Amino acid sequence: MRGEHEARTVSLVHFVIMGCGRVGATLATSLEESGHSVAVVDQNPEAFRRLPAEFAGRKVTGLGFDRDTLVQAGIEDAYAFAAVSDGDNSNILAARVVRETYGVDHVVARIYDPGRAEIYQRLGIPTVATVRWTADQVLRRLLPMGATQEYLDPSGRVSLVRADTHVTWIGTPLEEIEELTAARVAFLTRGGGAQLPGPGSVLQDGDELCLLVPVDRVSKVERLLASKKEAS
């Protein structure tokens, strides 16, 4: 079942979100507007008032680490899970249950304590600490293929985007990527640190590209890099 999810694009998949605070409601709304199915879990039914009236996803009252609650939310068919309640312990517990019991690969947990976040990162659970918290960063971890806008210039013409690449782009010189995308590589993230590309730099496994792209070409560049590279 999990292999099927990996083979699909992320346009028709199911997401489970634990916590219907401001961030949880924003995530749920964004994902549903993008065409996904969404279930939101919160132990306080009043929290669901943060969702828009037209929200069509599931609203499940309960604890996000309770198995019956998770099953009711559709965790067995979920592509990804986000634990974004206001409790570190609840978030990490739920994330571990979902990862270890249900085999969901794309899991992210909100952690208030940056020091604890680093520990959980070593356990293989991506975390976002509150000091650098945005809904976009969570979406980035839940939707691994695509592009996330980091900056838009004041004229609205050029965007700095962080773009994922299909595995077939590994080993491609950055100069070739620039030529094929008509974009410029601003920098890349490798091993957790940012690097400025130099002459002869090539894309390595695990690299994240940050590109300067004309706004009207962002979607084209995103589709190109997320797709299998054509043989040259």
Side-chain angles (χ1 to χ4, degrees):
M1 179 184 298
R2 197 59 50 195
E4 283 183 11
H5 288 309
E6 294 299 333
R8 297 188 222 167
T9 64
V10 292
S11 58
L12 294 171
V13 291
H14 183 58
F15 293 82
V16 177
I17 298 170
M18 169 188 160
C20 197
R22 180 180 58 83
V23 174
T26 299
L27 284 172
T29 302
S30 297
L31 289 167
E32 187 173 74
E33 288 177 349
S34 298
H36 308 295
S37 66
V38 184
V40 184
V41 176
D42 200 292
Q43 58 183 327
N44 179 10
E46 296 296 315
F48 298 128
R49 292 183 177 180
R50 294 187 177 91
L51 295 167
E54 63 274 16
F55 180 74
R58 303 182 208 175
K59 304 170 187 176
V60 182
T61 302
L63 298 172
F65 48 80
D66 177 76
R67 296 186 183 185
D68 290 339
T69 300
L70 288 168
V71 170
Q72 189 178 348
I75 197 64
E76 293 170 316
D77 295 315
Y79 174 83
F81 174 80
V84 295
S85 76
D86 57 4
D88 282 11
N89 291 336
S90 296
N91 288 342
I92 201 61
L93 176 58
R96 294 192 67 176
V97 169
V98 168
R99 169 71 63 83
E100 296 168 10
T101 302
Y102 297 100
V104 177
D105 292 327
H106 303 291
V107 173
V108 62
R110 179 185 192 177
I111 302 297
Y112 282 81
D113 182 346
R116 295 175 71 189
E118 292 179 5
I119 295 173
Y120 294 128
Q121 288 273 66
R122 297 191 194 108
L123 295 176
I125 298 176
T127 59
V128 180
T130 330
V131 292
R132 52 192 173 89
W133 176 262
T134 67
D136 281 346
Q137 287 179 327
V138 178
L139 287 171
R140 168 77 180 167
R141 288 159 172 78
L142 297 183
L143 298 169
M145 297 306 292
T148 302
Q149 180 174 288
E150 302 285 342
Y151 173 78
L152 181 67
D153 87 288
S155 73
R157 296 179 181 178
V158 178
S159 179
L160 176 66
V161 298
R162 188 180 296 270
D164 285 302
T165 52
H166 191 275
V167 65
T168 52
W169 288 87
I170 294 173
T172 303
L174 299 189
E175 292 180 353
E176 182 180 346
I177 291 176
E178 290 184 334
E179 181 179 351
L180 293 173
T181 60
R184 293 291 179 266
V185 178
F187 64 92
L188 56 83
T189 302
R190 177 176 295 168
Q195 296 186 13
L196 294 176
S201 294
V202 300
L203 187 69
Q204 296 183 13
D205 189 16
D207 286 353
E208 287 186 335
L209 286 176
C210 274
L211 303 167
L212 291 169
V213 188
V215 169
D216 60 358
R217 286 191 51 82
V218 169
S219 60
K220 294 179 181 178
V221 171
E222 174 186 352
R223 288 195 299 271
L224 178 63
L225 292 176
S227 303
K228 183 177 181 180
K229 182 188 175 187
E230 295 184 4
S232 56

